[in-house]
Structure formats: C-alpha cells, structure tokens
C-alpha cells in the first residue's frame, strides 16, 4: 500500500502548493520517480493529464474566491499563476462558462473541481500474469518523433497518428524486414517511450525493432538499451484498447501490491508481427524496474 499512500502524499503536496510554480520532479520524488514518469503514471491512473488537473483545481479555487471575496480580478489572476488578466479570463471562461466579471456582477453559478483522493477498491480475485526477467543490454533501430510533454493528453493521442504515418511511408515494412528475429524482442515491433531529462518542451517516442547490425538508413536512429530487470506483462486483445487497459491495471493493481517500482528511462509496448485488430492478438508491456 506504500504506492497508494505515496501517490496520495504527492496529491496532498500539490494541493498545499497549488498557487505556486509546481516542479514535477519534486512531486515525482515523493513516489521515488522522475517528474517525467510521474506525469505518465498520473495520466494513466487518473484519466487526465497532470497539467489539466492542476489547471482545473486552480480555476475552481479561483472561482470560489471570486464569489466569496472582493479581491480584484487582476490580483486573482496573479495569485493563481496567470501572467495577464486576459489569459486568466480566457481560461476562467473556458472552465466556468462565463467571464470573471460576469460571474461576479450577475452572481452566476460556477463549477467545482474537487481534490483527488486515491483509494483502493476491493474487487474479487482477478489475477494478473507477469514475468520478471533479467536481460542483457541490446540495440534498437527506430524511427523517432518528438511529441509535446507527457502532461499534455493531446500529445499521447497523436502517437497513433505516428504509427499510421510510419505504415504509409514504408517504415513499418522496413522494420519488419530488418528486425533481429532471434533477439531479445523476437519478431516484433516496439513502441518505445523514453525519458529525456535534457529536454523540457517535448519527449521522444520511437517505433522500432531489435537491430540486426546491417546498417542504419537515413531517418532512423540506434538506441542502446542497458541491461535491466524487466517486468513483462502479456496483453491479449484488439489494439490500442487492450494495451491501454493493461497499463491502467499495472499502475492501479500491480505496483501498489508489488516490491518493485518503475526504474524510468525506458518502457516498451512489444507488438509481434500480426493483425493487431484481432481479439486474440497477443502483445506485451515491458517495464524496467527496481526494488523499492
């Protein structure tokens, strides 16, 4: 249960500092995670991005303060982290449905948005298959695109479009031909999400396969994956729904009861060659882990 308690502590910390500039690395450190990986877990567990949650909490609190005090709107904007009254008014209107001035003058209703409270829901004994495997380092050849930060839900929604583009431009066919079929990953493609601590505006996502050592065409990169302890979760079903449901179960059910936490840096979705639209399609999620 430490995982759940630490998750709640991270939310409590954000609430205590909701009017300040929040550092994702500081919040993630409460769960012994990087800010990058914390944002990923938050969005999977909570169904919204961290950025969206913080913004909505601030706007809900600002609305409550607007109607219960005589604070100037410009001061309210500054208090809740907006550089200009105009920017605050736009965000306030999108959230509450009316401008701050109209809400105050006409005593219009405002929206609430409650602080998250994390709890365990007891359910009947569902099992979750997994394997713990020690793997030597290996090399991946991949096509990579950068997306907006993981805290932005739209960035993750753009990733299926990247897969479609790679299918259309022949990248998928090339990777299927050149992959190392007898390697660690077998005859598979991978979707690889990588932490890049040197960049704050976006993150790299790659579609690749294990490198066969036969050259790197223009537009592709090599990635050295270090030796690690991996937890491998089997996934059965139509993509992407089956993989998304498994991600949620991993963070909502497996890690809270496990002696492991994500090590960060890399995780993979492993897609064996085949029809991802079939009900019996088998894929995997690989997460590098370390002991708590």
């Amino acid at each position: 249960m430490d995982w759940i308690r630490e998750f709640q502590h991270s939310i409590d910390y954000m609430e205590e500092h909701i009017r300040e500039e929040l550092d994702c690395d500081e919040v993630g450190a409460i769960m012994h995670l990087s800010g990058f990986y914390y944002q990923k877990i938050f969005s999977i567990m909570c169904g919204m991005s961290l950025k969206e949650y913080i913004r909505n909490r601030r706007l809900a609190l600002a609305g409550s303060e607007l109607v219960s005090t005589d604070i100037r709107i410009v001061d309210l904007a500054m208090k809740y982290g907006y550089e200009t009254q105009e920017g605050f008014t736009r965000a306030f209107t999108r959230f509450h449905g009316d401008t701050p001035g109209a809400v105050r003058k006409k005593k219009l209703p405002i929206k609430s948005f409650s602080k998250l409270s994390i709890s365990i829901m007891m359910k009947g004994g569902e099992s979750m298959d997994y394997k713990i495997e020690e793997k030597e380092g290996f090399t991946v050849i991949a096509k990579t695109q950068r997306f907006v930060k993981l805290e932005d839900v739209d960035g993750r929604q753009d990733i299926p479009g990247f897969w479609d583009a790679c299918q259309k431009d022949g990248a998928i066919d090339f990777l299927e031909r050149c992959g190392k079929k007898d390697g660690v990953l077998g005859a598979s493609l991978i979707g690889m999400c990588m932490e890049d601590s040197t960049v704050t505006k976006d993150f790299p996502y790659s579609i690749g396969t294990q490198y066969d050592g036969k050259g790197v065409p223009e537009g592709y990169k090599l990635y050295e994956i270090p030796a690690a302890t991996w937890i491998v979760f089997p996934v059965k079903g139509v993509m992407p729904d089956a993989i998304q449901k498994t991600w949620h179960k991993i963070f909502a059910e497996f890690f809270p009861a496990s002696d492991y936490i994500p090590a960060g840096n890399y995780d993979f979705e492993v897609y064996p060659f085949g029809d991802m639209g079939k009900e019996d399609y088998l894929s995997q999620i690989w997460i590098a882990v370390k002991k708590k």
Side-chain angles (χ1 to χ4, degrees):
M1 296 299 178
D2 286 348
W3 177 274
I4 297 300
R5 282 197 294 267
E6 289 170 356
F7 201 174
Q8 187 63 59
H9 289 166
S10 72
I11 292 169
D12 295 341
Y13 174 87
M14 287 189 287
E15 193 70 17
E16 292 169 5
H17 301 274
I18 196 69
R19 297 176 183 85
E20 304 168 20
E21 185 71 27
L22 285 166
D23 186 303
C24 291
D25 285 325
E26 289 183 8
V27 178
I30 296 170
M31 294 184 70
H32 312 287
L33 300 168
S34 68
F36 177 93
Y37 214 89
Y38 179 82
Q39 290 177 74
K40 178 173 183 172
I41 290 174
F42 186 96
S43 64
I44 291 172
M45 289 277 286
C46 302
M48 70 186 84
S49 70
L50 181 61
K51 182 178 181 179
E52 181 183 6
Y53 172 74
I54 293 170
R55 180 178 65 242
N56 288 349
R57 279 296 295 147
R58 287 171 174 167
L59 289 169
L61 291 170
S64 178
E65 192 165 346
L66 176 77
V67 299
S68 62
T69 72
D70 59 359
I71 186 173
R72 294 191 310 160
I73 293 174
V74 65
D75 293 334
L76 194 64
M78 299 298 114
K79 184 173 182 178
Y80 285 92
Y82 289 85
E83 294 181 357
T84 66
Q85 183 173 336
E86 291 76 14
F88 172 71
T89 296
R90 287 193 296 270
F92 188 98
T93 304
R94 284 194 298 268
F95 183 77
H96 290 287
D98 292 284
T99 66
V103 166
R104 174 171 275 172
K105 183 177 181 180
K106 300 178 182 178
K107 301 187 183 303
L108 298 173
I110 56 173
K111 290 182 180 179
S112 64
F113 188 84
S114 301
K115 171 190 168 186
L116 280 170
S117 179
I118 304 299
S119 62
I120 290 288
M121 182 180 293
M122 302 301 292
K123 298 190 298 183
E126 293 184 15
S127 62
M128 191 170 191
D129 295 335
Y130 67 92
K131 296 186 294 183
I132 299 177
E133 299 188 359
E134 302 288 338
K135 296 291 187 183
E136 296 295 327
F138 56 96
T139 305
V140 166
I141 183 171
K143 198 162 190 179
T144 299
Q145 183 168 312
R146 303 197 75 91
F147 293 87
V148 294
K149 292 175 71 173
L150 267 176
E151 65 184 18
D152 190 325
V153 172
D154 292 337
R156 294 201 322 279
Q157 291 175 339
D158 284 343
I159 289 174
F162 180 42
W163 278 86
D164 289 341
C166 287
Q167 185 71 61
K168 291 175 182 176
D169 68 13
I172 298 296
D173 288 340
F174 167 76
L175 292 167
E176 289 183 351
R177 290 196 309 272
C178 78
K180 188 176 182 181
K181 308 301 189 293
D182 58 350
V184 172
L185 299 173
S188 301
L189 295 173
I190 64 168
M192 185 167 67
C193 187
M194 297 168 287
E195 181 171 356
D196 186 348
S197 61
T198 65
V199 178
T200 58
K201 292 183 179 179
D202 54 22
F203 73 98
Y205 178 87
S206 296
I207 299 171
T209 191
Q210 190 168 354
Y211 181 51
D212 62 1
K214 297 179 181 177
V216 183
E218 184 178 354
Y220 294 82
K221 295 182 179 180
L222 295 183
Y223 296 94
E224 297 297 331
I225 310 302
T229 300
W230 300 86
I231 296 188
V232 180
F233 298 90
V235 182
K236 182 178 180 179
V238 177
M239 297 296 112
D241 289 348
I243 210 99
Q244 291 171 352
K245 289 177 181 177
T246 303
W247 272 115
H248 187 272
K249 287 187 68 176
I250 289 169
F251 292 126
E253 299 175 27
F254 175 79
F255 280 118
S258 169
D259 292 330
Y260 292 92
I261 60 173
N265 299 325
Y266 294 97
D267 54 52
F268 304 130
E269 295 169 355
V270 180
Y271 300 106
F273 302 154
D275 186 350
M276 297 182 187
K278 288 188 174 182
E279 293 287 345
D280 61 352
Y281 178 74
L282 298 176
S283 55
Q284 296 176 328
I285 293 174
W286 289 37
I287 302 177
V289 295
K290 58 187 178 183
K291 284 281 191 177
K292 289 181 179 176

